[in-house]
Amino acid sequence: MELVIGDNAPDFNLPTDSGSNLSLREFLDKKNVVIYFYPKDDTPGCTMEAKDFKDNIDNFSSLDTVIIGVSKDSVKCHANFKAKYDLPFYLVSDENAEMLEKYGVWAEKSMFGKKYMGIERTTFLIDKKGKISEIWKNVKVSGHVNQVIEQVRNIQ
């Protein structure tokens, strides 16, 4: 079943770059949450997206919003990626694709005529009540973070 705007965002409880677990319910009634799903740490598009979120972290913080990046990379890989670019937000490791499937971003992809399963670059904006406020599918990295900031301002 595909998630749509207005649905309750699925909870999760997965390890972060620090090795501790993180869940959505920790932020309910306190913060808006931006969850962005990306294919792989330290690749060109994923690095640009992470750096764009980093460069705008003050805007998100002032709007009571936390950023969570999610991929299938290991905790160690996330820790290295976070340290390399000094990323000031959570990176969640979903090696079993549990959360990816709940959010509907684990999808069949195609490259050079070969089909494979992978992460569809997608961002969810979740309000303080845990409702999905916006969904961006097949994200084009350039300018995306600015779109997210504008939408966060609209739910304040």
PDB file of all heavy atoms in Angstrom, residues 75-102:
ATOM      1  N   VAL A  75      26.070   0.982   9.680  1.00  0.00           N
ATOM      2  CA  VAL A  75      26.326   2.007  10.684  1.00  0.00           C
ATOM      3  C   VAL A  75      27.735   2.565  10.500  1.00  0.00           C
ATOM      4  O   VAL A  75      27.940   3.789  10.537  1.00  0.00           O
ATOM      5  CB  VAL A  75      26.140   1.425  12.108  1.00  0.00           C
ATOM      6  CG1 VAL A  75      26.682   2.362  13.163  1.00  0.00           C
ATOM      7  CG2 VAL A  75      24.663   1.122  12.362  1.00  0.00           C
ATOM      8  N   LYS A  76      28.710   1.688  10.280  1.00  0.00           N
ATOM      9  CA  LYS A  76      30.103   2.127  10.101  1.00  0.00           C
ATOM     10  C   LYS A  76      30.248   3.018   8.866  1.00  0.00           C
ATOM     11  O   LYS A  76      30.909   4.059   8.903  1.00  0.00           O
ATOM     12  CB  LYS A  76      31.014   0.908   9.981  1.00  0.00           C
ATOM     13  CG  LYS A  76      32.477   1.268   9.873  1.00  0.00           C
ATOM     14  CD  LYS A  76      33.354   0.027   9.877  1.00  0.00           C
ATOM     15  CE  LYS A  76      34.783   0.413  10.081  1.00  0.00           C
ATOM     16  NZ  LYS A  76      35.646   0.389   9.017  1.00  0.00           N
ATOM     17  N   CYS A  77      29.625   2.617   7.775  1.00  0.00           N
ATOM     18  CA  CYS A  77      29.665   3.417   6.549  1.00  0.00           C
ATOM     19  C   CYS A  77      29.036   4.792   6.788  1.00  0.00           C
ATOM     20  O   CYS A  77      29.581   5.818   6.378  1.00  0.00           O
ATOM     21  CB  CYS A  77      28.942   2.660   5.433  1.00  0.00           C
ATOM     22  SG  CYS A  77      29.230   3.330   3.798  1.00  0.00           S
ATOM     23  N   HIS A  78      27.887   4.813   7.486  1.00  0.00           N
ATOM     24  CA  HIS A  78      27.236   6.088   7.827  1.00  0.00           C
ATOM     25  C   HIS A  78      28.144   6.950   8.696  1.00  0.00           C
ATOM     26  O   HIS A  78      28.245   8.159   8.482  1.00  0.00           O
ATOM     27  CB  HIS A  78      25.927   5.844   8.580  1.00  0.00           C
ATOM     28  CG  HIS A  78      24.747   5.547   7.722  1.00  0.00           C
ATOM     29  ND1 HIS A  78      24.653   5.856   6.382  1.00  0.00           N
ATOM     30  CD2 HIS A  78      23.563   4.963   8.041  1.00  0.00           C
ATOM     31  CE1 HIS A  78      23.484   5.489   5.914  1.00  0.00           C
ATOM     32  NE2 HIS A  78      22.797   4.929   6.902  1.00  0.00           N
ATOM     33  N   ALA A  79      28.791   6.337   9.686  1.00  0.00           N
ATOM     34  CA  ALA A  79      29.675   7.095  10.590  1.00  0.00           C
ATOM     35  C   ALA A  79      30.806   7.740   9.794  1.00  0.00           C
ATOM     36  O   ALA A  79      31.150   8.913  10.030  1.00  0.00           O
ATOM     37  CB  ALA A  79      30.220   6.184  11.677  1.00  0.00           C
ATOM     38  N   ASN A  80      31.375   7.008   8.854  1.00  0.00           N
ATOM     39  CA  ASN A  80      32.465   7.549   8.021  1.00  0.00           C
ATOM     40  C   ASN A  80      31.962   8.694   7.140  1.00  0.00           C
ATOM     41  O   ASN A  80      32.627   9.723   7.006  1.00  0.00           O
ATOM     42  CB  ASN A  80      33.076   6.448   7.157  1.00  0.00           C
ATOM     43  CG  ASN A  80      33.825   5.424   7.980  1.00  0.00           C
ATOM     44  OD1 ASN A  80      34.212   5.674   9.121  1.00  0.00           O
ATOM     45  ND2 ASN A  80      34.016   4.247   7.418  1.00  0.00           N
ATOM     46  N   PHE A  81      30.806   8.511   6.535  1.00  0.00           N
ATOM     47  CA  PHE A  81      30.208   9.532   5.663  1.00  0.00           C
ATOM     48  C   PHE A  81      29.906  10.795   6.465  1.00  0.00           C
ATOM     49  O   PHE A  81      30.228  11.916   6.054  1.00  0.00           O
ATOM     50  CB  PHE A  81      28.939   8.953   5.032  1.00  0.00           C
ATOM     51  CG  PHE A  81      28.233   9.836   4.045  1.00  0.00           C
ATOM     52  CD1 PHE A  81      28.912  10.472   3.011  1.00  0.00           C
ATOM     53  CD2 PHE A  81      26.848   9.993   4.113  1.00  0.00           C
ATOM     54  CE1 PHE A  81      28.237  11.261   2.078  1.00  0.00           C
ATOM     55  CE2 PHE A  81      26.165  10.777   3.197  1.00  0.00           C
ATOM     56  CZ  PHE A  81      26.859  11.412   2.175  1.00  0.00           C
ATOM     57  N   LYS A  82      29.319  10.603   7.641  1.00  0.00           N
ATOM     58  CA  LYS A  82      28.973  11.734   8.499  1.00  0.00           C
ATOM     59  C   LYS A  82      30.228  12.503   8.925  1.00  0.00           C
ATOM     60  O   LYS A  82      30.254  13.729   8.885  1.00  0.00           O
ATOM     61  CB  LYS A  82      28.212  11.236   9.731  1.00  0.00           C
ATOM     62  CG  LYS A  82      27.686  12.347  10.597  1.00  0.00           C
ATOM     63  CD  LYS A  82      26.761  11.803  11.664  1.00  0.00           C
ATOM     64  CE  LYS A  82      26.130  12.917  12.454  1.00  0.00           C
ATOM     65  NZ  LYS A  82      25.028  12.435  13.284  1.00  0.00           N
ATOM     66  N   ALA A  83      31.269  11.771   9.311  1.00  0.00           N
ATOM     67  CA  ALA A  83      32.518  12.414   9.741  1.00  0.00           C
ATOM     68  C   ALA A  83      33.207  13.135   8.581  1.00  0.00           C
ATOM     69  O   ALA A  83      33.692  14.253   8.744  1.00  0.00           O
ATOM     70  CB  ALA A  83      33.453  11.377  10.348  1.00  0.00           C
ATOM     71  N   LYS A  84      33.230  12.516   7.419  1.00  0.00           N
ATOM     72  CA  LYS A  84      33.909  13.098   6.258  1.00  0.00           C
ATOM     73  C   LYS A  84      33.328  14.459   5.878  1.00  0.00           C
ATOM     74  O   LYS A  84      34.053  15.382   5.511  1.00  0.00           O
ATOM     75  CB  LYS A  84      33.809  12.134   5.069  1.00  0.00           C
ATOM     76  CG  LYS A  84      34.532  12.607   3.827  1.00  0.00           C
ATOM     77  CD  LYS A  84      34.493  11.542   2.738  1.00  0.00           C
ATOM     78  CE  LYS A  84      35.251  11.973   1.510  1.00  0.00           C
ATOM     79  NZ  LYS A  84      35.242  10.912   0.479  1.00  0.00           N
ATOM     80  N   TYR A  85      31.994  14.594   5.977  1.00  0.00           N
ATOM     81  CA  TYR A  85      31.336  15.836   5.557  1.00  0.00           C
ATOM     82  C   TYR A  85      30.764  16.633   6.732  1.00  0.00           C
ATOM     83  O   TYR A  85      30.052  17.615   6.510  1.00  0.00           O
ATOM     84  CB  TYR A  85      30.244  15.531   4.524  1.00  0.00           C
ATOM     85  CG  TYR A  85      30.845  14.981   3.253  1.00  0.00           C
ATOM     86  CD1 TYR A  85      30.797  13.616   2.982  1.00  0.00           C
ATOM     87  CD2 TYR A  85      31.508  15.808   2.355  1.00  0.00           C
ATOM     88  CE1 TYR A  85      31.365  13.095   1.830  1.00  0.00           C
ATOM     89  CE2 TYR A  85      32.088  15.301   1.204  1.00  0.00           C
ATOM     90  CZ  TYR A  85      32.020  13.943   0.953  1.00  0.00           C
ATOM     91  OH  TYR A  85      32.597  13.437  -0.180  1.00  0.00           O
ATOM     92  N   ASP A  86      31.070  16.199   7.971  1.00  0.00           N
ATOM     93  CA  ASP A  86      30.618  16.898   9.176  1.00  0.00           C
ATOM     94  C   ASP A  86      29.102  17.129   9.138  1.00  0.00           C
ATOM     95  O   ASP A  86      28.625  18.251   9.329  1.00  0.00           O
ATOM     96  CB  ASP A  86      31.389  18.221   9.321  1.00  0.00           C
ATOM     97  CG  ASP A  86      31.239  18.811  10.708  1.00  0.00           C
ATOM     98  OD1 ASP A  86      31.033  18.045  11.675  1.00  0.00           O
ATOM     99  OD2 ASP A  86      31.301  20.062  10.818  1.00  0.00           O
ATOM    100  N   LEU A  87      28.361  16.057   8.883  1.00  0.00           N
ATOM    101  CA  LEU A  87      26.911  16.159   8.757  1.00  0.00           C
ATOM    102  C   LEU A  87      26.265  16.275  10.142  1.00  0.00           C
ATOM    103  O   LEU A  87      26.501  15.429  10.999  1.00  0.00           O
ATOM    104  CB  LEU A  87      26.357  14.938   8.008  1.00  0.00           C
ATOM    105  CG  LEU A  87      26.930  14.731   6.606  1.00  0.00           C
ATOM    106  CD1 LEU A  87      26.388  13.442   5.989  1.00  0.00           C
ATOM    107  CD2 LEU A  87      26.654  15.933   5.703  1.00  0.00           C
ATOM    108  N   PRO A  88      25.434  17.300  10.349  1.00  0.00           N
ATOM    109  CA  PRO A  88      24.862  17.564  11.671  1.00  0.00           C
ATOM    110  C   PRO A  88      23.469  16.954  11.890  1.00  0.00           C
ATOM    111  O   PRO A  88      22.633  17.530  12.572  1.00  0.00           O
ATOM    112  CB  PRO A  88      24.786  19.086  11.688  1.00  0.00           C
ATOM    113  CG  PRO A  88      24.467  19.435  10.266  1.00  0.00           C
ATOM    114  CD  PRO A  88      25.202  18.407   9.426  1.00  0.00           C
ATOM    115  N   PHE A  89      23.208  15.810  11.284  1.00  0.00           N
ATOM    116  CA  PHE A  89      21.900  15.170  11.443  1.00  0.00           C
ATOM    117  C   PHE A  89      22.073  13.657  11.457  1.00  0.00           C
ATOM    118  O   PHE A  89      23.153  13.135  11.198  1.00  0.00           O
ATOM    119  CB  PHE A  89      20.915  15.612  10.344  1.00  0.00           C
ATOM    120  CG  PHE A  89      21.473  15.547   8.947  1.00  0.00           C
ATOM    121  CD1 PHE A  89      21.522  14.349   8.236  1.00  0.00           C
ATOM    122  CD2 PHE A  89      21.964  16.694   8.332  1.00  0.00           C
ATOM    123  CE1 PHE A  89      22.034  14.299   6.961  1.00  0.00           C
ATOM    124  CE2 PHE A  89      22.487  16.650   7.048  1.00  0.00           C
ATOM    125  CZ  PHE A  89      22.520  15.446   6.362  1.00  0.00           C
ATOM    126  N   TYR A  90      20.988  12.957  11.771  1.00  0.00           N
ATOM    127  CA  TYR A  90      21.014  11.503  11.896  1.00  0.00           C
ATOM    128  C   TYR A  90      21.100  10.821  10.526  1.00  0.00           C
ATOM    129  O   TYR A  90      20.431  11.248   9.585  1.00  0.00           O
ATOM    130  CB  TYR A  90      19.728  10.992  12.562  1.00  0.00           C
ATOM    131  CG  TYR A  90      19.448  11.551  13.921  1.00  0.00           C
ATOM    132  CD1 TYR A  90      18.540  12.587  14.091  1.00  0.00           C
ATOM    133  CD2 TYR A  90      20.064  11.019  15.044  1.00  0.00           C
ATOM    134  CE1 TYR A  90      18.250  13.089  15.350  1.00  0.00           C
ATOM    135  CE2 TYR A  90      19.790  11.514  16.316  1.00  0.00           C
ATOM    136  CZ  TYR A  90      18.880  12.552  16.452  1.00  0.00           C
ATOM    137  OH  TYR A  90      18.598  13.044  17.692  1.00  0.00           O
ATOM    138  N   LEU A  91      21.869   9.752  10.475  1.00  0.00           N
ATOM    139  CA  LEU A  91      21.860   8.843   9.335  1.00  0.00           C
ATOM    140  C   LEU A  91      21.443   7.475   9.868  1.00  0.00           C
ATOM    141  O   LEU A  91      22.105   6.919  10.744  1.00  0.00           O
ATOM    142  CB  LEU A  91      23.239   8.759   8.677  1.00  0.00           C
ATOM    143  CG  LEU A  91      23.763  10.049   8.043  1.00  0.00           C
ATOM    144  CD1 LEU A  91      25.155   9.825   7.462  1.00  0.00           C
ATOM    145  CD2 LEU A  91      22.812  10.570   6.968  1.00  0.00           C
ATOM    146  N   VAL A  92      20.341   6.959   9.369  1.00  0.00           N
ATOM    147  CA  VAL A  92      19.793   5.687   9.832  1.00  0.00           C
ATOM    148  C   VAL A  92      20.183   4.569   8.870  1.00  0.00           C
ATOM    149  O   VAL A  92      20.095   4.730   7.650  1.00  0.00           O
ATOM    150  CB  VAL A  92      18.250   5.784   9.960  1.00  0.00           C
ATOM    151  CG1 VAL A  92      17.621   4.419  10.164  1.00  0.00           C
ATOM    152  CG2 VAL A  92      17.876   6.717  11.102  1.00  0.00           C
ATOM    153  N   SER A  93      20.610   3.455   9.448  1.00  0.00           N
ATOM    154  CA  SER A  93      21.001   2.281   8.669  1.00  0.00           C
ATOM    155  C   SER A  93      19.839   1.295   8.602  1.00  0.00           C
ATOM    156  O   SER A  93      19.360   0.820   9.634  1.00  0.00           O
ATOM    157  CB  SER A  93      22.213   1.619   9.332  1.00  0.00           C
ATOM    158  OG  SER A  93      22.528   0.420   8.663  1.00  0.00           O
ATOM    159  N   ASP A  94      19.390   1.005   7.391  1.00  0.00           N
ATOM    160  CA  ASP A  94      18.286   0.053   7.188  1.00  0.00           C
ATOM    161  C   ASP A  94      18.767  -1.079   6.281  1.00  0.00           C
ATOM    162  O   ASP A  94      18.291  -1.249   5.162  1.00  0.00           O
ATOM    163  CB  ASP A  94      17.078   0.774   6.594  1.00  0.00           C
ATOM    164  CG  ASP A  94      15.837  -0.103   6.551  1.00  0.00           C
ATOM    165  OD1 ASP A  94      15.823  -1.167   7.202  1.00  0.00           O
ATOM    166  OD2 ASP A  94      14.879   0.273   5.854  1.00  0.00           O
ATOM    167  N   GLU A  95      19.725  -1.849   6.786  1.00  0.00           N
ATOM    168  CA  GLU A  95      20.348  -2.896   5.978  1.00  0.00           C
ATOM    169  C   GLU A  95      19.373  -3.972   5.525  1.00  0.00           C
ATOM    170  O   GLU A  95      19.580  -4.605   4.494  1.00  0.00           O
ATOM    171  CB  GLU A  95      21.515  -3.531   6.742  1.00  0.00           C
ATOM    172  CG  GLU A  95      22.680  -2.565   6.900  1.00  0.00           C
ATOM    173  CD  GLU A  95      23.879  -3.192   7.559  1.00  0.00           C
ATOM    174  OE1 GLU A  95      24.711  -3.782   6.827  1.00  0.00           O
ATOM    175  OE2 GLU A  95      23.981  -3.105   8.803  1.00  0.00           O
ATOM    176  N   ASN A  96      18.286  -4.197   6.269  1.00  0.00           N
ATOM    177  CA  ASN A  96      17.295  -5.220   5.903  1.00  0.00           C
ATOM    178  C   ASN A  96      16.130  -4.664   5.094  1.00  0.00           C
ATOM    179  O   ASN A  96      15.177  -5.381   4.810  1.00  0.00           O
ATOM    180  CB  ASN A  96      16.773  -5.928   7.150  1.00  0.00           C
ATOM    181  CG  ASN A  96      17.864  -6.682   7.865  1.00  0.00           C
ATOM    182  OD1 ASN A  96      18.744  -7.259   7.238  1.00  0.00           O
ATOM    183  ND2 ASN A  96      17.826  -6.670   9.189  1.00  0.00           N
ATOM    184  N   ALA A  97      16.176  -3.395   4.756  1.00  0.00           N
ATOM    185  CA  ALA A  97      15.146  -2.709   3.950  1.00  0.00           C
ATOM    186  C   ALA A  97      13.767  -2.706   4.621  1.00  0.00           C
ATOM    187  O   ALA A  97      12.751  -2.510   3.965  1.00  0.00           O
ATOM    188  CB  ALA A  97      15.057  -3.310   2.536  1.00  0.00           C
ATOM    189  N   GLU A  98      13.750  -2.850   5.938  1.00  0.00           N
ATOM    190  CA  GLU A  98      12.486  -2.869   6.692  1.00  0.00           C
ATOM    191  C   GLU A  98      11.752  -1.522   6.579  1.00  0.00           C
ATOM    192  O   GLU A  98      10.583  -1.461   6.208  1.00  0.00           O
ATOM    193  CB  GLU A  98      12.846  -3.199   8.140  1.00  0.00           C
ATOM    194  CG  GLU A  98      11.780  -3.053   9.170  1.00  0.00           C
ATOM    195  CD  GLU A  98      12.369  -3.223  10.576  1.00  0.00           C
ATOM    196  OE1 GLU A  98      13.235  -4.097  10.795  1.00  0.00           O
ATOM    197  OE2 GLU A  98      11.947  -2.445  11.447  1.00  0.00           O
ATOM    198  N   MET A  99      12.447  -0.442   6.886  1.00  0.00           N
ATOM    199  CA  MET A  99      11.855   0.890   6.803  1.00  0.00           C
ATOM    200  C   MET A  99      11.631   1.286   5.345  1.00  0.00           C
ATOM    201  O   MET A  99      10.623   1.913   5.004  1.00  0.00           O
ATOM    202  CB  MET A  99      12.766   1.894   7.503  1.00  0.00           C
ATOM    203  CG  MET A  99      12.245   3.308   7.540  1.00  0.00           C
ATOM    204  SD  MET A  99      13.431   4.362   8.410  1.00  0.00           S
ATOM    205  CE  MET A  99      12.616   5.950   8.286  1.00  0.00           C
ATOM    206  N   LEU A 100      12.575   0.928   4.486  1.00  0.00           N
ATOM    207  CA  LEU A 100      12.465   1.258   3.063  1.00  0.00           C
ATOM    208  C   LEU A 100      11.172   0.689   2.485  1.00  0.00           C
ATOM    209  O   LEU A 100      10.488   1.350   1.704  1.00  0.00           O
ATOM    210  CB  LEU A 100      13.662   0.699   2.289  1.00  0.00           C
ATOM    211  CG  LEU A 100      15.047   1.175   2.738  1.00  0.00           C
ATOM    212  CD1 LEU A 100      16.133   0.429   1.986  1.00  0.00           C
ATOM    213  CD2 LEU A 100      15.193   2.668   2.569  1.00  0.00           C
ATOM    214  N   GLU A 101      10.840  -0.525   2.887  1.00  0.00           N
ATOM    215  CA  GLU A 101       9.609  -1.149   2.395  1.00  0.00           C
ATOM    216  C   GLU A 101       8.371  -0.486   3.003  1.00  0.00           C
ATOM    217  O   GLU A 101       7.389  -0.244   2.307  1.00  0.00           O
ATOM    218  CB  GLU A 101       9.628  -2.653   2.664  1.00  0.00           C
ATOM    219  CG  GLU A 101      10.620  -3.358   1.747  1.00  0.00           C
ATOM    220  CD  GLU A 101      10.681  -4.860   1.958  1.00  0.00           C
ATOM    221  OE1 GLU A 101       9.873  -5.414   2.735  1.00  0.00           O
ATOM    222  OE2 GLU A 101      11.559  -5.483   1.328  1.00  0.00           O
ATOM    223  N   LYS A 102       8.413  -0.162   4.296  1.00  0.00           N
ATOM    224  CA  LYS A 102       7.274   0.508   4.945  1.00  0.00           C
ATOM    225  C   LYS A 102       6.941   1.831   4.255  1.00  0.00           C
ATOM    226  O   LYS A 102       5.787   2.217   4.153  1.00  0.00           O
ATOM    227  CB  LYS A 102       7.576   0.804   6.416  1.00  0.00           C
ATOM    228  CG  LYS A 102       7.458  -0.361   7.347  1.00  0.00           C
ATOM    229  CD  LYS A 102       7.715   0.137   8.767  1.00  0.00           C
ATOM    230  CE  LYS A 102       7.808  -0.981   9.770  1.00  0.00           C
ATOM    231  NZ  LYS A 102       8.143  -0.479  11.110  1.00  0.00           N
TER     232      LYS A 102
END
